[in-house]
């Protein structure tokens, strides 16, 4: 009989969001008439921008002619999209890259899993916590045992300290999912300095970058001097342009970023990733890349900003009303997430059950984002305005009944 890769047995039984959906469906079956409002899953709800739809329609019709038909695309992505990224995401912020430093993909999730394969199994991994659980899981799947959690607590404003010990691979997420905190220039500079001193690599996830509103918060880690030598950046169109179902993203691996082999020879991670992608990734679809390109037009920018502002207004409303009702809440600014401290130190899954049964509102238990998340709860601003107002009313009424 075939043997299982035992690393997979070290994972927690259920992926956090599957468990949330399972519990919600169970409740729905028992309460057929109840209107449940889901502020749990971090998925967008507004439709795609018209500019994006038009571009993808046009690209689809191109496929109908022999002259314009596209088969397998370039593994790193089409130049038309990469050139827009270089100009509008980086040059605008004073950062210069070459085309071969950008890799277009079909969502950041896959790249986060793939990049983790590039490092030796014995690597010491440092993961900011609470955080998106996929970072931890992909490393467990690869059999890594040396995982250090860089704890963000109320005492340090959910911003982990620079560790005293050595770490090889550092996961940073800013704006953070789930706490909504952002890392400022000084904090990022400290991480870049640490990585340089320790020959570490920073995996910088800024898929929520579009929610940043404070002028002094970097949108990209490459706004920090020296970051090209130590950091990989992950960016996605999922939350930026509502592409969670379309699937499009990009990863930046600067040519200056080097790691070493067993003979201490320096190796460019960029070429190793390209080699890996050539074997494991079938290139991102032409149609979705045309859709992503469209967001950089004047009209596209206007449309996606309207959607982001809609979610930001939800977040602002939630923060204000929950604070007023006496909850301790974080995030909600520079981020679509509200990080709520459960009342009376309630365990986060208990609060989930209470909220569902008493208010018909679904959120995400903080413990799902790591042990440091126990006693907290994540609410998202991705619902409709009407549902957000309704949900917050229900929550605040419930709390006043306690
Ligand atoms: N990184 C973080 C922090 C996320 O919260 C998510 C999705 O919610 C992702 C990455 C995955 O993004 P994508 O939709 O591009 O796969």
């Amino acid at each position: 009989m075939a043997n299982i890769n035992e690393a997979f047995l070290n994972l927690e039984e259920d992926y956090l969001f599957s468990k949330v959906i399972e519990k919600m469906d169970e409740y729905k079956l028992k309460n057929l008439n109840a209107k449940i409002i889901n502020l749990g899953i971090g998925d967008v709800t507004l439709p795609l921008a018209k500019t994006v739809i038009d571009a993808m329609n046009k690209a689809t019709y191109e496929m109908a002619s022999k002259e314009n038909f596209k088969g397998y695309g370039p593994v790193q992505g089409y130049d038309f999209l990469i050139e827009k990224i270089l100009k509008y995401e980086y040059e605008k912020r004073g950062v210069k890259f070459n085309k071969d430093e950008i890799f277009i993909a079909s969502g950041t999730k896959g790249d986060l899993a793939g990049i983790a394969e590039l490092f030796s199994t014995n690597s010491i991994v440092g993961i900011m916590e609470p955080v998106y659980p996929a970072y931890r899981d992909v490393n467990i799947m690869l059999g890594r045992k040396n995982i250090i959690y860089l704890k963000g607590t109320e005492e340090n404003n959910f911003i982990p300290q620079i560790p005293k010990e050595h770490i090889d691979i550092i996961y940073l997420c800013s704006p953070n999912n789930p706490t909504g905190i952002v890392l400022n220039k000084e904090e990022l500079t400290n991480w870049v300095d640490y990585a340089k001193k320790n020959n570490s690599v920073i995996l910088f996830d800024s898929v929520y970058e579009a929610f940043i509103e404070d002028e002094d918060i970097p949108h990209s880690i490459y706004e920090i001097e020296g970051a090209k030598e130590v950091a990989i950046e992950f960016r996605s169109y999922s939350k930026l342009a509502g592409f969670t179902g379309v699937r499009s993203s990009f990863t930046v691996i600067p040519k200056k970023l080097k790691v070493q082999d067993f003979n201490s020879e320096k190796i460019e991670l960029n070429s190793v990733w390209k080699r890996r992608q050539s074997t494991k990734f079938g290139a991102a679809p032409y149609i979705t890349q045309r859709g992503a390109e469209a967001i950089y037009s004047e009209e596209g920018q206007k449309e996606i900003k309207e959607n982001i502002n809609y979610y930001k207004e939800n977040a602002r409303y939630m923060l204000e009303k929950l604070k007023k009702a006496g909850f301790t809440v974080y995030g909600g600014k520079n981020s679509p997430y509200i990080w709520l401290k459960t009342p009376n130190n309630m365990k986060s899954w208990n609060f989930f059950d209470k909220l569902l049964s008493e208010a018909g509102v679904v959120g995400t238990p903080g413990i799902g984002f790591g042990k440091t998340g126990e006693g907290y709860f994540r609410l998202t601003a991705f619902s409709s305005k009407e549902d957000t107002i309704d949900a917050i009313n229900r929550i605040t009424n419930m709390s006043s009944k306690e």
Side-chain angles (χ1 to χ4, degrees):
M1 191 180 277
N3 287 335
I4 185 83
N5 174 348
E6 289 195 10
F8 280 74
L9 304 181
N10 295 328
L11 292 166
E12 277 176 29
E13 214 170 297
D14 287 316
Y15 186 60
L16 170 67
F17 301 107
S18 319
K19 196 166 161 186
V20 167
I21 290 175
E22 200 179 294
K23 281 196 165 237
M24 186 172 79
D25 289 345
E26 221 173 82
Y27 178 84
K28 269 189 196 160
L29 269 181
K30 286 191 198 142
N31 301 273
L32 291 175
N33 294 323
K35 184 194 171 199
I36 297 173
I37 302 178
N38 189 351
L39 302 185
I41 314 289
D43 197 355
V44 293
T45 50
L46 291 172
L48 288 169
K50 185 173 177 304
T51 328
V52 169
I53 296 288
D54 289 346
M56 291 204 291
N57 273 340
K58 183 165 173 268
T60 308
Y61 282 107
E62 280 175 37
M63 294 286 201
S65 76
K66 252 190 187 164
E67 299 72 45
N68 295 321
F69 172 77
K70 301 278 185 302
Y72 290 125
V75 71
Q76 241 175 296
Y78 285 99
D79 279 355
F80 62 76
L81 178 55
I82 295 177
E83 280 161 9
K84 295 282 186 326
I85 291 169
L86 294 181
K87 186 166 172 197
Y88 294 105
E89 302 288 357
Y90 292 106
E91 275 169 32
K92 192 178 91 180
R93 302 190 189 286
V95 180
K96 267 194 95 66
F97 280 115
N98 291 321
K99 283 193 280 196
D100 57 0
E101 294 174 293
I102 310 289
F103 292 83
I104 310 295
S106 299
T108 291
K109 202 175 199 181
D111 274 12
L112 280 167
I115 294 277
E117 292 172 12
L118 301 192
F119 303 95
S120 118
T121 308
N122 300 328
S123 304
I124 303 170
V125 180
I127 303 179
M128 159 183 212
E129 193 196 74
V131 90
Y132 184 54
Y135 307 155
R136 175 196 63 209
D137 288 355
V138 297
N139 280 287
I140 291 176
M141 287 176 190
L142 289 166
R144 295 218 167 93
K145 298 278 191 296
N146 299 320
I147 303 180
I148 295 168
Y149 295 100
L150 308 163
K151 297 194 168 147
T153 59
E154 216 170 7
E155 288 68 43
N156 60 20
N157 291 320
F158 303 101
I159 295 177
Q161 302 304 298
I162 301 285
K164 297 218 168 29
E165 66 265 63
H166 169 84
I167 292 175
D168 297 306
I169 313 163
I170 305 157
Y171 284 85
L172 298 179
C173 181
S174 173
N176 178 278
N177 173 12
T179 63
I181 64 102
V182 279
L183 298 174
N184 66 26
K185 259 201 175 115
E186 191 188 336
E187 284 146 0
L188 282 177
T189 305
N190 289 341
W191 280 110
V192 167
D193 290 348
Y194 171 90
K196 280 186 162 176
K197 249 185 241 145
N198 285 272
N199 291 319
S200 335
V201 174
I202 296 173
L203 303 181
F204 188 70
D205 181 338
S206 53
V207 303
Y208 297 100
E209 151 290 322
F211 287 84
I212 296 175
E213 58 194 75
D214 290 348
E215 290 284 317
D216 55 337
I217 302 297
H219 288 242
S220 161
I221 195 164
Y222 304 116
E223 291 175 53
I224 308 299
E225 212 183 309
K228 281 188 180 177
E229 288 150 53
V230 292
I232 294 176
E233 181 160 286
F234 300 90
R235 298 279 290 272
S236 172
Y237 294 98
S238 283
K239 310 296 156 75
L240 170 66
F243 272 44
T244 50
V246 177
R247 312 303 296 145
S248 191
S249 62
F250 63 92
T251 296
V252 187
I253 311 188
K255 290 269 190 175
K256 281 187 179 167
L257 176 61
K258 305 228 166 79
V259 291
Q260 61 178 18
D261 68 9
F262 291 111
N263 302 315
S264 300
E265 294 283 336
K266 297 248 191 286
I267 298 177
E268 260 183 21
L269 216 49
N270 178 295
S271 13
V272 183
W273 180 243
K274 186 163 185 189
R275 179 67 190 83
R276 186 260 182 209
Q277 290 296 78
S278 312
T279 297
K280 290 198 173 186
F281 183 59
Y286 173 71
I287 297 168
T288 59
Q289 290 188 67
R290 280 295 185 198
E293 181 199 20
I295 71 143
Y296 295 108
S297 65
E298 204 177 305
E299 193 53 27
Q301 283 293 296
K302 206 174 123 236
E303 286 175 324
I304 63 164
K305 279 183 184 147
E306 260 168 33
N307 287 2
I308 297 275
N309 286 338
Y310 179 93
Y311 298 132
K312 281 170 83 72
E313 177 52 27
N314 281 349
R316 193 204 55 73
Y317 177 86
M318 292 162 83
L319 199 63
E320 183 194 309
K321 295 289 174 192
L322 290 168
K323 263 191 189 163
K324 219 173 180 180
F327 284 100
T328 305
V329 273
Y330 300 91
K333 195 177 176 227
N334 301 310
S335 157
Y337 295 120
I338 306 280
W339 190 234
L340 177 146
K341 192 171 180 175
T342 60
N344 308 318
N345 293 320
M346 201 182 274
K347 297 258 186 215
S348 50
W349 273 114
N350 292 347
F351 188 67
F352 175 94
D353 291 333
K354 181 180 164 67
L355 210 60
L356 183 56
S357 62
E358 292 180 23
V361 174
V362 173
T364 313
I367 184 79
F369 301 96
K371 286 202 179 95
T372 339
E374 183 56 291
Y376 289 88
F377 204 71
R378 191 195 74 174
L379 295 170
T380 88
F382 287 122
S383 260
S384 68
K385 182 179 173 184
E386 296 71 28
D387 277 357
T388 303
I389 294 174
D390 191 359
I392 296 303
N393 272 336
R394 294 186 197 187
I395 298 173
T396 50
N397 286 337
M398 181 188 85
S399 73
S400 59
K401 273 192 224 133
E402 272 187 331

